[in-house]
Amino acid sequence: MGSLQRFHVGPRLSETAVHNGTVYLAGQVPDDLSKDIKGQTAEVLGMVERLLKEAGSDKSRILMAQIFLKDISEIGAMNEVWDAWIPVGNTPPRATVQALMAKDGYRIEIVVTAAQL
């Protein structure tokens, strides 16, 4: 069966679920919608890092990342922030696509799956 733990459980979703040593994060979006793509990316990656730590993991243990951008032409600026954040030698498989966002002002949403430490 395996263990299952949820963090920050709400009526619609949990921010994190951990099952058998794998950490699943819900899509993380920025709080400050006035920021440009670099600012929103940095904010969201900070959220990812905090949630991974809370679940007993870290960014070096990311198994897969899915990145949704409102405007794919901003991928270069987003990649600058991502490349500075992700540990060298631990770059995970990743998909990046352009997508409609759930709220005006969101420029990015990131979904991560990671292994526990």
Side-chain angles (χ1 to χ4, degrees):
M1 251 261 209
S3 63
L4 175 61
Q5 187 176 14
R6 298 184 196 279
F7 298 81
H8 309 286
V9 178
R12 180 163 292 134
L13 59 88
S14 296
E15 289 294 333
T16 310
V18 179
H19 181 258
N20 288 339
T22 303
V23 180
Y24 302 89
L25 299 187
Q28 298 302 302
V29 294
D31 291 323
D32 187 346
L33 305 185
S34 69
K35 292 180 180 177
D36 66 6
I37 189 62
K38 287 184 177 184
Q40 286 194 12
T41 301
E43 182 182 342
V44 170
L45 292 174
M47 293 171 173
V48 166
E49 200 159 358
R50 284 188 298 281
L51 289 169
L52 289 176
K53 182 178 180 181
E54 179 181 48
S57 186
D58 66 35
K59 62 186 175 181
S60 74
R61 308 282 292 169
I62 295 174
L63 300 170
M64 177 67 177
Q66 299 171 41
I67 301 174
F68 302 91
L69 296 175
K70 180 178 181 178
D71 182 351
I72 199 68
S73 72
E74 296 186 318
I75 192 169
M78 182 276 299
N79 276 334
E80 287 180 37
V81 179
W82 172 269
D83 292 346
W85 179 79
I86 200 73
V88 174
N90 288 295
T91 53
R94 189 186 99 177
T96 306
V97 298
Q98 181 169 304
L100 295 173
M101 297 286 122
K103 185 175 182 180
D104 285 342
Y106 288 164
R107 302 177 84 88
I108 189 167
E109 181 169 351
I110 300 178
V111 180
V112 165
T113 303
Q116 284 183 310
L117 296 171

